[in-house]
Amino acid sequence: MSTKTIIKVCGLTQADEALTCVELGVQWLGFNCYQKSKRYLPPEAIATIVKQLPPAAKTVGVFVNASAKEIEKILQQTGLHLAQLHGDESPDFANTLQVPWFRAFRVMNDLAEEEIRSYGQELFLLDAAQTGQYGGTGHAFDWKVATRLRDHGKLLLAGGLRPDNVKEAVLQVRPFGVDVASGVESATSRKDPQKVANFIAAVAQAEARW
């Protein structure tokens, strides 16, 4: 099933699960390059999976406060298409990168549009914030913030999305895409094909009401 809304499944660790996601209709696949993450994969393992994917699948590496050299090297090693900056990376740092990237913003109570604009990128991600954690919290944030910011560019909505709430999120926010990790897992790092299918179906149901 294909959707107009981009669906990104993040934190993939197994080739068979990545391929199943693509077969079900997931357009973007995320791999965690942050070593402190429980879903971390070394570059060699990511490269092995990426080589098995069809060309149409867009692949994203998630980084947290890595050096420019590390980010560029890992994208070259793995064949990943995009770097997702999910830490405290400044606009000056991000704009020195020699690879395609987009910035993830962690939403506390509010987020200024000026902060997003300062990066000069059309694509951006909004995620829930939790003290001491860089994403992957499994918690949602107030979608009113996302609704206010969606017209800035191509918004990827993340944070606590699941098959049972993504329909409402898409109806309310109408984002460019939705990003899910723990919401489609049967256990940590293990993606459940049925949950992925249900997630995609819920997005399609929301689109049918536009």
Side-chain angles (χ1 to χ4, degrees):
M1 180 187 297
S2 61
T3 59
K4 297 176 185 177
T5 306
I6 293 297
I7 295 175
K8 175 173 173 276
V9 173
C10 202
L12 287 154
T13 59
Q14 306 291 327
D16 60 335
E17 292 175 8
L19 287 164
T20 296
C21 282
V22 173
E23 290 167 4
L24 289 170
V26 174
Q27 301 100 318
W28 290 24
L29 306 173
F31 299 89
N32 210 309
C33 303
Y34 178 46
Q35 293 190 21
K36 292 184 180 180
S37 169
K38 52 195 173 186
R39 298 179 182 88
Y40 168 74
L41 273 190
E44 300 79 14
I46 295 174
T48 299
I49 296 174
V50 169
K51 285 177 184 174
Q52 300 177 54
L53 298 173
K58 194 143 193 171
T59 53
V60 180
V62 180
F63 296 88
V64 175
N65 300 330
S67 68
K69 184 177 180 180
E70 180 183 355
I71 294 170
E72 291 162 3
K73 182 180 179 182
I74 289 177
L75 258 68
Q76 183 179 29
Q77 282 180 317
T78 58
L80 291 168
H81 296 120
L82 277 168
Q84 176 178 319
L85 307 181
H86 214 103
D88 307 300
E89 300 87 358
S90 70
D92 287 344
F93 169 83
N95 283 295
T96 65
L97 290 173
Q98 301 300 304
V99 293
W101 59 272
F102 65 94
R103 183 73 159 82
F105 298 91
R106 300 187 304 283
V107 179
M108 296 292 279
N109 298 315
D110 206 348
L111 182 68
E113 185 174 351
E114 291 72 26
E115 184 180 353
I116 296 173
R117 287 187 184 279
S118 69
Y119 287 81
Q121 292 288 94
E122 184 182 25
L123 179 65
F124 67 103
L125 182 146
L126 296 182
D127 196 3
Q130 190 165 328
T131 304
Q133 280 190 253
Y134 290 98
T137 65
H139 297 284
F141 64 92
D142 187 348
W143 293 331
K144 290 178 183 176
V145 177
T147 302
R148 179 173 59 80
L149 296 170
R150 69 183 171 199
D151 293 333
H152 169 71
K154 293 181 176 179
L155 162 62
L156 282 169
L157 182 66
L161 296 178
R162 308 178 304 273
D164 65 345
N165 69 3
V166 71
K167 178 180 177 180
E168 182 57 36
V170 172
L171 284 171
Q172 183 174 327
V173 180
R174 297 200 180 191
F176 167 74
V178 286
D179 184 314
V180 63
S182 62
V184 291
E185 290 182 344
S186 54
T188 301
S189 303
R190 299 313 303 261
K191 302 301 187 265
D192 185 314
Q194 189 58 58
K195 288 184 178 181
V196 173
N198 292 346
F199 189 90
I200 296 170
V203 173
Q205 288 167 13
E207 291 178 348
R209 291 178 56 183
W210 288 358

